[in-house]
């Protein structure tokens, strides 16, 4: 690996030690989810895109919760900040690993999750091109309230002033600090040590580094992003919702550009990793989450939630279905009001109707379970008709048992199949049966009380009363 190409002199630090007071939450701020994934995961993903030599996360408040969440992240180092005395103090905690290194340090904020890798690459270009000591990513926004403001003199950045310390005139400035920077490593830690906590919050502000560099006549650059939404920080639940909406909107626009119809993008919730084929139509109130893959020319009606599920082409999902960890083959039809639970496979052109629940069940191609059924731990062959109200009794209080229904079988309505049990090829089960023994191929299984009609019973009962 050469130095410049692979970023072996490139280090990323992510600040995530703060309490996130304004979230009013027991959960650390960076673990709050945006589009189904904790905020910090989005930031780590962006960081990984520039292939840094090291990535260090500064943690403090609820450190163990964050460490626990990220324990499987390879090559991630942690620095603990205790107590949390401000952003400059947070960065100082990485001195044991980074002081003495050369190259560039990219500083990211755990609460700025929409930053794009392309912007980080531009930041590196500008920073290296200018041989700057620091380069600050900024944005010009309509509502600068709460952000640090960029104070310029003769067009150049002079310092950053925090909201609480700003004069009324400074509060009018609409160019804000995104909290994302590139730093030249050699002078960084020495200069950080000179920062004092003489401000409204009594904290060590990283933003004071800019003025410190300017006093030392070190070059400081800025990179102004085109779309300020990209550097929106999350400090409150309102901002969490706004940032989530932006992420969703971006995804929805990508999908529409690729040929997917969204009837109402404002109420369509599709996670970033989801793929959807062209000419699929998605109705309002639909959520498609996790690693779901949806084929082409499908129709997904209103108020459906699909999680980690694979759906082939030309599938129709009717209203109000919940589908988790399932696979649905081409041309199948699901719902309304169906529940497909993990490890369910619905075959080609099969039909799952209203109030039908499937769990760990394969429903063969062309088979139908149209009404009011529970089918669990079942293997159902092709072209089977499962009558209304059929229930697999798969659980005996201790273990789960399998039900097998072979090709072309017909299960009459209101049948209980007490597992383990097998219904042979082409067999019939009479309606209302409690089937406890296998039914051979081609046979009729009937297991219900015989009907008796007692003539004149009603009249006699009335007279007796
Ligand atoms: C910070 C910037 C502000 C900028 C804004 C952008 C400072 C002083 N202010 O303000 O100029 O406009 O971000 O979003 O830097 N953190 C720690 N340890 C601490 C304090 C904070 O790790 O002791 C972490 C937080 O967890 C968070 C990040 O640093 O991820 C920013 O802290 P936060 O308190 O949100 O700063 P802002 O007030 O948003
Ligand atoms: Ca913040």
């Amino acid at each position: 690996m050469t130095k410049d190409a692979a970023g072996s002199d490139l280090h990323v630090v992510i600040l995530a030690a703060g309490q996130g007071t304004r979230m009013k939450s027991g959960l650390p701020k960076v673990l709050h989810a945006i589009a189904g994934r904790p905020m910090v995961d989005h930031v780590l993903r962006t960081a990984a895109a520039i292939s840094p030599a090291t990535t260090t996360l500064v943690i403090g408040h609820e450190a163990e919760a964050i460490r626990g969440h990220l324990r499987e992240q390879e090559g991630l180092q942690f620095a603990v900040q205790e107590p949390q005395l401000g952003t400059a103090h947070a960065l100082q905690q990485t001195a044991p690993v980074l002081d003495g290194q050369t190259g560039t340090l990219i500083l990211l904020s755990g609460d700025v999750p929409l930053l794009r890798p392309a912007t980080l690459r531009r930041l590196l270009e500008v920073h290296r091109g200018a041989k700057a000591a620091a380069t600050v990513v900024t944005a010009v926004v309509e509502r600068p309230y709460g952000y640090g403001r960029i104070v310029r003199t003769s067009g150049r950045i002079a310092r950053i002033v925090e909201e609480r310390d700003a004069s009324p005139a400074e509060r009018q400035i609409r160019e804000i600090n995104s909290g994302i920077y590139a730093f030249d490593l050699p002078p960084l830690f020495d200069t950080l040590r000179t920062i004092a906590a003489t401000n409204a919050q009594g904290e060590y502000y990283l933003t004071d580094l800019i003025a410190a560099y300017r006093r030392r006549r070190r070059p400081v650059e800025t990179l102004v992003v085109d779309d300020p939404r990209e550097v929106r920080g999350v400090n409150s639940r309102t901002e969490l919702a706004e940032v989530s909406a932006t992420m969703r909107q971006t995804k929805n626009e990508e999908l529409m550009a690729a040929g997917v119809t969204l009837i109402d993008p404002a109420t369509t919730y599709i996670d970033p990793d989801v793929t959807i084929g062209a000419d699929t139509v998605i109705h309002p109130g639909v959520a498609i989450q996790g690693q779901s893959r949806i084929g082409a020319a499908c129709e997904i009606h209103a108020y459906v939630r699909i999680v980690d599920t694979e759906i082939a082409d030309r599938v129709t999902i009717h209203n109000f279905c919940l589908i988790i960890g399932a696979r649905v083959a081409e041309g199948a039809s699901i719902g309304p009001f169906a529940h497909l639970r993990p490890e369910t496979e619905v075959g080609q052109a099969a039909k799952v109707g209203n109030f039908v629940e499937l769990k760990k069940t394969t429903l063969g191609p062309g088979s139908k379970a149209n009404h009011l059924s529970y089918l669990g731990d079942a293997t159902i062959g092709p072209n089977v008709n499962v009558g209304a109200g059929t229930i697999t009794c798969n659980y005996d209080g201790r273990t789960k048992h399998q039900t097998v229904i072979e090709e072309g079988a017909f299960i009459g309505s209101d049948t209980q199949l007490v597992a383990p049990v097998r219904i042979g090829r082409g067999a019939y089960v009479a309606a209302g049966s409690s089937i406890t023994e296998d039914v051979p191929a081609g046979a009729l299984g009937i297991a219900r009380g015989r009907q008796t009609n007692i003539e004149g019973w009603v009249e006699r009962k009335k007279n007796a009363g």
Side-chain angles (χ1 to χ4, degrees), residues 95-310:
V97 274
L98 295 173
D99 198 0
Q101 302 269 5
T102 56
T104 306
L105 185 154
I106 296 283
L107 187 86
L108 304 178
S109 210
D111 65 352
V112 181
L114 296 181
L115 186 76
R116 292 175 309 129
T119 304
L120 276 191
R121 286 187 208 105
R122 267 184 71 207
L123 171 62
L124 269 175
E125 257 171 50
V126 170
H127 179 74
R128 285 171 170 163
K131 293 195 177 9
T135 304
V136 187
V137 178
T138 76
V140 178
V141 301
E142 289 301 322
R143 292 174 298 152
Y145 180 81
Y147 289 94
R149 309 294 208 283
I150 306 296
V151 180
R152 290 180 182 268
T153 48
S154 332
R156 297 201 63 83
I157 182 168
R159 59 196 175 88
I160 300 173
V161 61
E162 292 303 299
E163 175 80 37
R164 297 195 200 203
D165 305 298
S167 66
E170 286 165 341
R171 287 193 183 142
Q172 300 301 310
I173 299 172
R174 293 198 300 119
E175 187 182 9
I176 58 105
N177 169 29
S178 71
I180 290 149
Y181 318 79
F183 294 117
D184 186 24
L185 267 163
L188 178 63
F189 288 96
D190 281 344
T191 319
L192 267 183
R193 286 184 199 103
T194 69
I195 288 175
T198 47
N199 50 57
Q201 290 212 94
E203 286 190 353
Y204 296 90
Y205 284 170
L206 185 56
T207 44
D208 287 349
L209 199 67
I210 303 309
Y213 276 149
R214 292 304 309 272
R215 278 196 299 275
R216 288 168 175 70
R217 306 207 172 283
R218 298 249 187 201
V220 180
E221 280 298 323
T222 53
L223 170 67
V224 189
V225 294
D226 300 325
D227 184 351
R229 290 181 308 175
E230 193 187 335
V231 294
R232 189 110 173 84
V234 176
N235 299 305
S236 63
R237 306 259 181 173
T238 300
E239 286 167 341
L240 182 73
E242 285 169 3
V243 163
S244 301
T246 302
M247 190 170 281
R248 227 163 48 224
Q249 198 183 336
T250 307
K251 178 69 181 181
N252 287 348
E253 279 164 11
E254 271 169 34
L255 289 168
M256 290 187 282
V260 177
T261 295
L262 305 182
I263 305 285
D264 181 19
T267 60
T268 304
Y269 305 79
I270 301 173
D271 281 359
D273 290 349
V274 170
T275 62
I276 305 182
D279 289 325
T280 285
V281 176
I282 314 239
H283 291 262
V286 170
I288 308 179
Q289 303 173 326
Q291 306 299 309
S292 297
R293 299 218 306 265
I294 315 289
C298 293
E299 182 143 20
I300 303 181
H301 289 273
Y303 305 108
V304 165
R305 177 168 170 236
I306 300 171
V307 186
D308 295 330
T309 286
E310 218 173 289

Side-chain angles (χ1 to χ4, degrees), residues 34-50:
I34 291 180
R37 223 186 291 136
M39 229 185 289
V40 69
D41 289 17
H42 294 284
V43 180
L44 284 166
R45 239 193 214 208
T46 303
I50 56 169

Side-chain angles (χ1 to χ4, degrees), residues 431-443:
S433 291
S434 286
I435 297 293
T436 54
E437 284 160 38
D438 292 355
V439 179

